[in-house]
Amino acid sequence: QVQLQESGPGLVKPSQTLSLTCTVSGGSITSGSYYWSWIRQPAGKGLEWIGRIYATGTGSHNPSLKGRVIISVDTSKNRFSLKLRSVTATDTAVYYCAKEGPGGSFQYWGQGTLVTVSS
Amino acid sequence: EIVLTQSPGTLSLSPGERATLSCRASQSVSSTYLAWYQQKPGQAPRLLIFVASIRATGVPDRFSGTGSGTDFSLTISRLEPEDSAVYFCQQFGSSPPTFGGGTKVQIK
């Protein structure tokens, strides 16, 4: 069973870069034909897809984030990462990493990590 | 992007009752790319249904999904206390993938 675990700072200052890593266990990030995604959820609100990456490094991100997103993969460490530049208070949320499954669903999720943007 | 509108916002029902949750898309979504999730407080979402009607591993058969085009629904045939949660629909027929705003199911 694939397991995912997010890690990174829980507090980021406005205008700085949010950096998170998702470590995958129970399977190789290179196996199968599925993408690995980042999704976020502000407190009490809905879910927003941030972007995704394939093991080869191919990926895409949500245009709503206006190019502030960089997602990378490190197959040697079986993990992938998120960088979100120029953060503001509206980027405060629980950030999840997830493995995509059949039909573009998100089959496996990390437990989530709260990132607060505040000075 | 495709907007998913879920209704009702909140559903309050008794154990054993049937719950029907609606998810309406702003444009047609291939049923291949429609999923449903359950989220309990403090937890990550859990995949319930994918490809509109296929239950994920370990999901009880009281959960069922149906629909096509712009109208999809999730039915919980006989509510159990542990079904108290927020339920989200999600599409990936068109990028970016989007989620509905959620339906909160409360068990009386």
Side-chain angles (χ1 to χ4, degrees), chain B residues 74-107:
Chain B
L74 173 71
T75 298
I76 311 171
S77 59
R78 299 170 307 278
L79 280 166
E80 302 275 352
E82 61 264 30
D83 299 333
S84 178
V86 178
Y87 293 83
F88 295 97
C89 57
Q90 174 248 327
Q91 69 80 28
F92 208 159
S94 169
S95 191
T98 50
F99 294 84
T103 290
K104 184 174 186 177
V105 174
Q106 295 179 331
I107 310 298

Side-chain angles (χ1 to χ4, degrees), chain B residues 59-79:
Chain B
V59 175
D61 61 7
R62 64 179 183 273
F63 290 90
S64 63
T66 188
S68 64
T70 59
D71 290 301
F72 297 87
S73 63
L74 173 71
T75 298
I76 311 171
S77 59
R78 299 170 307 278
L79 280 166

